[in-house]
Amino acid sequence: MEEKSVPSAEKTPESYRQTAISKTKKQQSFKRSLIFFGIIIIAMLALLIFQDLQTNQYGPTSGEIWVHYIDVGQGDSILIQSAENAVLIDGGTAAASNNVVNYLENLGITTLDYVIATHPHSDHIGGLAAVFDRFTVHRLWLPDVLHETNTFERFLDAALRNNIEVTTVQAGETLSAGLIQMLAIAPVENFYANLNDYSIVLRMQHGSTAFLFTGDAEALSEQQILATGVDISANVLKVGHHGSATSTTDTFLDAVNPDVAVIQVGATNTFGHPNWRVMERLEDRGIAVLRTDELGNIVIVTDGTSIYLY
C-alpha cells in the first residue's frame, strides 16, 4: 500500500526571517565567545612573556658565563656576561655602534665592569664612544699606545667626559668581575712597529673551561706569548685579526688547541678575510669554525664544566 506524505506546516516569509535572525544571533554569540577566549589566551601568553623578561630568562643563570660575539661586520665586539657582571671587549666601527648599544640594551645591561679596547684601530674602538655615553662603565683597559686619528680622539674624549677610570695594560694584569676572571697575556713588550701587536690578549678561565681573546695580535705577538710559557690552552679561540694570514700561526694554534674557533669578519670584506691558509689550519685540526658573516651574532655558554652554543 502506497504511503501518503503528510504536508508540513506552511512556512511564511516571516517564519523564514525569524529563523534566519535566530541563526545569526547564535553565530554572532559563537564568534564573540571565540574572540573572548582568543583575547584571554593572548593575554596569558603576553603575561608569560613579560614574566620571562622580568626574571631574565634569556641570559646567564648562577654559575654560567655567556660569551656574545656580536656581529658588527668587519670588526670585533665581544660581550662577556655573568648573572651579576658584564665585560665588553672592543666595540666595532662607529657605523656599527648602534648594533652594539642595541644589543646590550636588549639584554637589559646598564653597567659594564670593564671595557677593553684591545688596540686603537677604528674597527675595534669606533663604536666605544657611543657605549661610554650610554652605559655606566667603571674601568677602561687599553694598551700603552696613542693613535693620531679622529676616531681615537673621540674615543678618549668620551672616556674622559664620562669619568671612566683608564688603565694601560701589559701582560700579567688580572681582571676580576665576579665569575669573570681573566689574565692579560699580551702585549709582552712596550714598543711595536705594528699597532696590531699592541693588542691586549686575554685568557678567561671558568672552572675547567677557557676562552682566548686575541684582538688583532699577529705572528710576532703570538711568538712572544709562547716564549713566556704562560698557559694559553682554550676550548674557544677568537681567531686573531679576523682570520688574516698574519695571525694564527701553526705553533700558536697547536698551543691553544681549541675545540671551537670564532671568526669575527664582515661579509664580502675587501681584505680577503678569513685567509684560506688559516681556514686550512683550522680544518686540518678538526676545529669547529663559527663565523659572524655566516651566522650573525654567536653566543657560547660555559657552566665551568662544559661549553655549548646557545
Side-chain angles (χ1 to χ4, degrees):
M1 183 176 177
E2 186 176 341
E3 292 184 352
K4 293 183 180 179
S5 61
V6 179
S8 60
E10 184 178 356
K11 291 189 176 182
T12 65
E14 179 61 23
S15 66
Y16 278 112
R17 191 178 74 84
Q18 292 299 328
T19 301
I21 290 172
S22 177
K23 286 182 179 178
T24 300
K25 286 181 177 179
K26 288 179 181 178
Q27 290 170 348
Q28 289 174 341
S29 176
F30 181 68
K31 287 179 181 178
R32 281 196 295 267
S33 297
L34 284 179
I35 293 170
F36 175 75
F37 286 116
I39 291 171
I40 294 296
I41 290 169
I42 291 169
M44 290 174 66
L45 289 172
L47 180 60
L48 289 172
I49 291 169
F50 177 75
Q51 287 174 339
D52 281 348
L53 292 173
Q54 289 295 95
T55 55
N56 194 26
Q57 292 298 304
Y58 179 76
T61 59
S62 178
E64 286 184 341
I65 295 176
W66 288 27
V67 182
H68 306 253
Y69 300 85
I70 304 170
D71 182 11
V72 290
Q74 186 66 18
D76 273 14
S77 188
I78 302 167
L79 173 70
I80 303 168
Q81 180 193 23
S82 70
E84 294 83 20
N85 302 94
V87 173
L88 182 69
I89 302 175
D90 291 330
T93 63
S97 61
N98 284 341
N99 290 22
V100 177
V101 168
N102 291 340
Y103 193 94
L104 299 183
E105 287 184 336
N106 288 339
L107 290 171
I109 288 173
T110 58
T111 301
L112 293 163
D113 297 276
Y114 288 83
V115 168
I116 295 100
T118 58
H119 65 293
H121 278 149
S122 60
D123 58 330
H124 291 253
I125 66 166
L128 289 180
V131 170
F132 297 157
D133 287 336
R134 189 67 63 91
F135 304 95
T136 299
V137 177
H138 291 311
R139 301 170 193 85
L140 169 63
W141 274 17
L142 69 169
D144 190 10
V145 61
L146 300 176
H147 193 36
E148 294 181 0
T149 63
N150 291 334
T151 299
F152 188 67
E153 287 181 11
R154 284 193 296 271
F155 158 78
L156 284 183
D157 287 345
L160 294 171
R161 181 169 63 247
N162 289 283
N163 300 310
I164 300 170
E165 179 185 318
V166 179
T167 302
T168 55
V169 173
Q170 282 190 291
E173 297 280 353
T174 55
L175 179 155
S176 180
L179 280 185
I180 303 170
Q181 301 289 319
M182 293 198 281
L183 172 67
I185 59 176
V188 174
E189 294 186 357
N190 295 319
F191 176 78
Y192 295 94
N194 185 342
L195 272 180
N196 286 336
D197 285 322
Y198 280 96
S199 289
I200 297 174
V201 178
L202 297 156
R203 183 176 184 270
M204 180 181 76
Q205 179 92 34
H206 180 45
S208 60
T209 66
F211 289 67
L212 195 66
F213 308 101
T214 57
D216 279 357
E218 298 193 1
L220 174 59
S221 179
E222 291 180 357
Q223 291 167 10
Q224 291 177 341
I225 291 168
L226 291 171
T228 67
V230 67
D231 181 12
I232 62 171
S233 63
N235 302 91
V236 183
L237 167 68
K238 200 292 294 187
V239 173
H241 199 187
H242 320 289
S244 167
T246 60
S247 306
T248 320
T249 57
D250 282 302
T251 52
F252 186 77
L253 193 53
D254 287 338
V256 180
N257 192 28
D259 302 306
V260 178
V262 179
I263 303 177
Q264 293 197 278
V265 64
T268 64
N269 67 85
T270 58
F271 304 100
H273 297 158
N275 183 270
W276 67 270
R277 293 180 182 85
V278 172
M279 293 299 295
E280 191 174 70
R281 288 173 206 152
L282 297 169
E283 290 165 5
D284 286 348
R285 290 164 174 81
I287 300 167
V289 178
L290 307 176
R291 298 168 46 169
T292 54
D293 62 329
E294 296 177 344
L295 300 173
N297 301 317
I298 296 167
V299 183
I300 298 178
V301 179
T302 173
D303 60 6
T305 302
S306 58
I307 63 168
Y308 62 90
L309 189 64
Y310 183 87

